[in-house]
Amino acid sequence: MVATDGRAETDLMRAVGAGDAAAFERLVARFQGPVISFLFRYAGDRATAEDLAQETFLNVWRAARRFDPDGGAKPSTWIFTIAYRLAMSELKRRRRFAEFRERASREATKNPAGPQAPGSVPDDEAIHRVLANLPENQRAAMLLRVREEMSYRDIAEVLGVSVSAVESLIFRARTRLRRELAEHIERTGP
Amino acid sequence: MTSHDPCDFSGDLPAYHDNELDARTRERLERHLPGCAACRRTLAGFAEADALVAGLADAPVPDGFAASVAALARREAESIGRAGTCGELASPLSRENSGDLSKGDFGDFYRECPEAGMLAFFERFFRLIIEFSSKNRSGRAYRGGHLDAFADCPPDGLSGAYLRLVSMGPARFAREGSES
């Protein structure tokens, strides 16, 4: 989850907007983990996540002058909006969901946390696969809510939908996750 | 109540779970929960799904990621010819917006520097597409036009012209500035 030191982040964004490259590097260092993790779980594979993260931050650099904290903008919401839009465009452009699922599955087997403890079901790979099978907007809403602990309002801003739509997306994501993971456990056994 | 009959509070459960419910409804729901096994089961299910997703391992960050992105940004800024910031500073539209050019100077500026006028035209054009891609007049998502629609074809030429203008712009602007 992104640190919630909103004022420091806003100051950092202002400095980036003024062209301070050192501040930009600090901003990237601060958000790189959450952004890459979000993109990995959203887009399905690590290489794409890293490319998209790089593009996200370069877009932040290019557009930082337009960031308007006085208008209520939060750096984290702003950065995740850019990341989400880039990732969405990428998935849309490629139209390769079959390949995405295959790659997601392959990537999940290279578990960054290392091997799962015996008997721990469902494991990282299974959850990653089930997430990959969720509709994209449900997946994004769920990741932003649970892993980034964003409010419905911030998620609505990132996804460009209404607050009630966010509530509905998250509800459907949770319901489907539980159902599919229960099916997975049934198939694979304890 | 059977398992098929959602109780009156079932619609409030997601917001309750996510701490997004107003205080009054929250209080009423909390009074209701001890007597409603169905609502408790639903909430337990939400918590279970969340725990699984929250427990996913973070993706590793490549070594030196921040430094390499910052280096790319610096190189990009340098290639555009402005130390420390992006091409937007060099763009006439930004200079209009930032007050770098006063309103009365636009016509003269664009007449003397036609590239700047063309650059401003392209920027307005791209901005218009982006604005229309996010919302229409009624505030609903506009699906008729999107920058993605330009992903492959004509914009190659259009973008090429735009980038050429961006790249030659700063030098021309600098010359204009030193002559005046």
Side-chain angles (χ1 to χ4, degrees):
Chain A
M1 186 198 160
V2 178
T4 51
D5 189 356
R7 192 167 176 173
E9 287 168 3
T10 301
D11 290 346
L12 213 46
M13 276 300 300
R14 282 187 211 273
V16 174
D20 182 341
F24 175 64
E25 190 169 339
R26 288 200 300 280
L27 186 81
V28 176
R30 187 167 194 129
F31 284 97
Q32 59 187 3
V35 167
I36 291 176
S37 279
F38 169 74
L39 290 168
F40 170 51
R41 299 298 177 186
Y42 179 74
D45 69 277
R46 220 171 290 161
T48 302
E50 287 168 13
D51 288 349
L52 288 172
Q54 180 177 296
E55 199 49 41
T56 296
F57 288 116
L58 287 174
N59 275 316
V60 167
W61 169 251
R62 290 171 195 138
R65 271 183 96 234
R66 291 199 295 271
F67 176 74
D68 177 20
D70 301 329
K74 288 184 195 169
S76 57
T77 311
W78 200 66
I79 292 169
F80 273 97
T81 302
I82 293 173
Y84 171 70
R85 288 183 184 170
L86 282 173
M88 196 171 58
S89 295
E90 178 64 11
L91 292 183
K92 190 174 167 191
R93 191 180 67 81
R94 292 180 184 177
R95 295 281 182 214
R96 57 179 192 186
F97 294 106
E99 186 192 343
F100 153 63
R101 289 194 180 109
E102 270 177 30
R103 293 176 74 177
S105 157
R106 277 202 306 274
E107 286 291 329
T109 58
K110 297 183 229 161
N111 181 2
Q116 295 282 319
S120 62
V121 177
D123 58 15
D124 202 285
E125 178 190 345
I127 301 164
H128 191 82
R129 276 188 192 166
V130 172
L131 264 180
N133 283 326
L134 289 180
E136 286 169 25
N137 51 5
Q138 288 183 27
R139 185 162 70 243
M142 186 71 181
L143 289 168
L144 293 172
R145 172 64 215 162
V146 176
R147 293 179 65 84
E148 303 310 321
E149 298 181 14
M150 278 191 188
S151 67
Y152 285 179
R153 196 175 159 184
D154 286 350
I155 298 171
E157 199 179 319
V158 172
L159 304 189
V161 297
S162 68
V163 169
S164 57
V166 168
E167 188 174 337
S168 165
L169 287 171
I170 295 173
F171 174 76
R172 281 182 276 147
R174 283 183 176 129
T175 306
R176 189 159 165 182
L177 263 174
R178 284 188 64 221
R179 191 182 64 232
E180 294 204 7
L181 287 168
E183 285 168 9
H184 169 84
I185 292 167
E186 217 167 81
R187 275 198 310 274
T188 55
Chain B
M1 186 175 75
T2 70
S3 61
H4 299 290
D5 296 328
C7 78
D8 290 344
F9 285 96
S10 59
D12 293 325
L13 293 175
Y16 174 75
H17 176 75
D18 289 322
N19 206 21
E20 297 265 352
L21 213 53
D22 64 86
R24 196 171 165 188
T25 316
R26 184 178 187 87
E27 239 171 64
R28 286 175 51 219
L29 180 53
E30 283 174 348
R31 281 200 301 274
H32 160 81
L33 278 176
C36 184
C39 283
R40 290 201 306 275
R41 264 200 309 279
T42 303
L43 287 173
F46 290 166
E48 188 189 345
D50 285 9
L52 292 170
V53 175
L56 284 168
D58 287 333
V61 176
D63 288 342
F65 180 81
S68 71
V69 176
L72 279 173
R74 281 194 191 96
R75 269 207 297 279
E76 185 177 285
E78 283 162 12
S79 74
I80 288 170
R82 297 276 167 149
T85 189
C86 64
E88 204 184 23
L89 266 185
S91 94
L93 205 59
S94 303
R95 292 176 67 179
E96 280 182 22
N97 294 338
S98 66
D100 193 14
L101 286 176
S102 68
K103 293 276 178 198
D105 293 340
F106 296 164
D108 288 345
F109 181 78
Y110 291 149
R111 260 193 299 281
E112 288 167 16
C113 184
E115 295 98 324
M118 288 176 69
L119 187 54
F121 165 78
F122 278 118
E123 289 189 356
R124 287 198 174 95
F125 174 71
F126 285 127
R127 207 165 281 187
L128 201 65
I129 293 170
I130 291 166
E131 281 167 13
F132 269 87
S133 71
S134 56
K135 280 182 180 177
N136 66 7
R137 284 180 188 173
S138 65
R140 292 186 179 169
Y142 181 78
R143 298 186 187 282
H146 194 279
L147 209 53
D148 288 350
F150 294 81
D152 295 322
C153 54
D156 277 353
L158 203 57
S159 305
Y162 175 73
L163 291 171
R164 191 169 161 73
L165 282 164
V166 168
S167 63
M168 66 192 289
R172 175 68 185 259
F173 298 153
R175 199 165 62 242
E176 297 282 327
S178 62
E179 285 168 1
S180 61

